[in-house]
Amino acid sequence: MNRIVRWLEDYVLPLANRIGQVRWLVALRDAFVSLMPITMAGSLAVLIKSLVHAADVNLGWHTFAFAMQPLVNISNLVWRGTFSLFAFLFALALGYQLAKSFEGNRLAAAIVSVSSFAISIASVATVKFHGDSLTVKNAFDISQFSTTGLFTAIIFGSIGFAIYFACYKARVMIRLTANMPHAEQAAFDSLLPAMIAIFSVGGINYIFQLLTGKYFGDWLLTTIQLPLVKWGQGFGTVMLITLLVQIFWFFGLNGLGVLSPILDSIWLTAQNNNITAIRNGHVPPYVWARGSFDVFAWFGGAGGTLMLVIAILMFSKRSDYRTIAKISLAPGIFNIGEPILFGLPVVLNPVYLIPFVVAPLVNVAFSYWVSIMGLVNPVQVAVPSIMPPIIGPFLACNYDWRAIVLSIVNMIVALLIWMPFVKAADEIAETNHPKTFFNTQF
């Protein structure tokens, strides 16, 4: 075990530290996090509509559904201002977070990022009219503002910012000697860098259209985004990301934070596509989404440490361990695992390395195949990360009672995996600290 820990410290930990220090990835992660209110509002809109629909169709509560129709209409409006504009708002947040990370003009960078994204998506929309498809030029298809255009927002938002920031740092700007208000001075400082960036992105897209006859955003969608999201549905990919998150957390690094750009770019995109499909009355296209990790494996936080807390309270005889477990129980119920991770500790504790890694892997593997077989709805609603176990899966899977059964089974399995190691930790502690006249309790 010590050899494994040393190997991880020598080869994995330095890599994790480097990833966590890349400012572009940090900005990408923070951009996703900053859109949490949009994600939650859009998901709540889906939950409300699904609940009213289920009450009407499955329970026959027609009067209730009729009375709730204004709330459903409000939810539809909320949807149009949240998820239907996800990529557009993400481009805005990405430019802001990049400027924050690189210490530039945040508002100007956000505007450049949004403009670069808009330039790069198709300005042709297809509409249905009396059963016929009509093509409208010089009009945006709103579907590209949703998660469909997410990779376009990431790539061209970043390109636009990079050009803008390079010119800004090179002081390519209009020199003014007159005293001006700060807002006007900042706008003039960003004028030339922003114009150069926007025209550069426009030139890139124009040349690409001349050479290929396609919009760059459409090409990104078909050649990069869709294959990556589909790749994320593979069993090996899901298990690999679970393993890496656990290993990073074992060394005290926030694995979710380090790998957030990958998790959100691939599996959050899949989740948002599921949400959009349910909103439009279609079958969710993906079986494994970003929330699947949270609701089916990471009970109490990464590692399923809520089950460690319960195992200690059930089987441990050490008063100090039990005290820490009691303190960690309430946060663990709301998926906050730091008290037990750093208080016991689990971090850098070789005794707990195996269950900390194995329990989530087993839970994820079992849940993945249950989802593949269609025995439980895939995650199709975003729920807050602090939603307690059992309740969270039920809501995330759109009121599917089978998600409750699956989460209970997973919790029992994780408890059984943690149990022998909790007993072993008791024995090791007893061996390392034998009782004497001074530490024996009477």
Side-chain angles (χ1 to χ4, degrees), residues 314-357:
M314 291 178 63
F315 304 109
S316 179
K317 298 179 181 179
R318 295 272 305 184
S319 60
D320 50 347
Y321 291 173
R322 293 178 62 83
T323 299
I324 294 172
K326 291 175 183 177
I327 295 172
S328 305
L329 180 60
I333 291 174
F334 295 97
N335 298 322
I336 300 172
E338 282 78 2
I340 193 70
L341 285 173
F342 297 104
L344 193 59
V346 176
V347 170
L348 292 175
N349 188 338
V351 177
Y352 290 123
L353 172 61
I354 292 177
F356 186 69
V357 172

Side-chain angles (χ1 to χ4, degrees), residues 219-273:
W219 179 81
L220 285 173
L221 174 64
T222 56
T223 60
I224 296 180
Q225 180 170 337
L226 288 179
L228 273 178
V229 174
K230 290 180 179 179
W231 174 71
Q233 298 300 297
F235 179 69
T237 309
V238 172
M239 295 298 286
L240 176 62
I241 201 71
T242 306
L243 175 64
L244 291 176
V245 167
Q246 297 307 128
I247 291 177
F248 289 165
W249 259 118
F250 179 76
F251 288 99
L253 298 173
N254 187 328
L256 297 178
V258 172
L259 298 174
S260 178
I262 299 174
L263 279 164
D264 292 342
S265 298
I266 297 176
W267 286 282
L268 184 60
T269 301
Q271 179 170 295
N272 290 342
N273 287 340

Side-chain angles (χ1 to χ4, degrees), residues 38 86 218 256:
I38 299 299
F86 189 88
D218 292 343
L256 297 178

Side-chain angles (χ1 to χ4, degrees), residues 390-401:
I390 300 177
I391 300 176
F394 179 66
L395 295 178
C397 295
N398 208 358
Y399 308 110
D400 188 356
W401 63 269

Side-chain angles (χ1 to χ4, degrees), residues 77-225:
L77 294 175
V78 170
W79 170 267
R80 290 211 299 268
T82 54
F83 263 108
S84 64
L85 298 175
F86 189 88
F88 181 86
L89 296 171
F90 179 84
L92 185 73
L94 179 61
Y96 180 90
Q97 295 295 344
L98 283 169
K100 179 181 177 182
S101 179
F102 287 89
E103 300 179 357
N105 187 317
R106 301 178 188 183
L107 179 58
I111 293 173
V112 168
S113 180
V114 170
S115 178
S116 300
F117 165 65
I119 290 171
S120 307
I121 62 176
S123 58
V124 176
T126 302
V127 296
K128 295 286 186 179
F129 184 75
H130 295 304
D132 297 326
S133 296
L134 301 178
T135 300
V136 181
K137 294 184 178 181
N138 300 319
F140 288 117
D141 184 354
I142 193 172
S143 65
Q144 297 189 64
F145 285 153
S146 66
T147 51
T148 302
L150 184 58
F151 270 64
T152 306
I154 293 174
I155 293 175
F156 277 97
S158 299
I159 291 174
F161 170 80
I163 299 172
Y164 160 79
F165 188 72
C167 295
Y168 187 83
K169 279 297 183 182
R171 307 297 293 176
V172 180
M173 56 186 62
I174 298 175
R175 309 290 179 178
L176 296 175
T177 57
N179 292 328
M180 301 179 63
H182 175 73
E184 294 183 14
Q185 183 66 52
F188 273 100
D189 288 347
S190 298
L191 179 60
L192 285 182
M195 290 178 63
I196 293 171
I198 291 171
F199 270 90
S200 297
V201 172
I204 293 171
N205 281 272
Y206 175 73
I207 293 172
F208 187 84
Q209 290 177 36
L210 283 180
L211 295 177
T212 64
K214 297 180 180 180
Y215 285 91
F216 216 135
D218 292 343
W219 179 81
L220 285 173
L221 174 64
T222 56
T223 60
I224 296 180
Q225 180 170 337

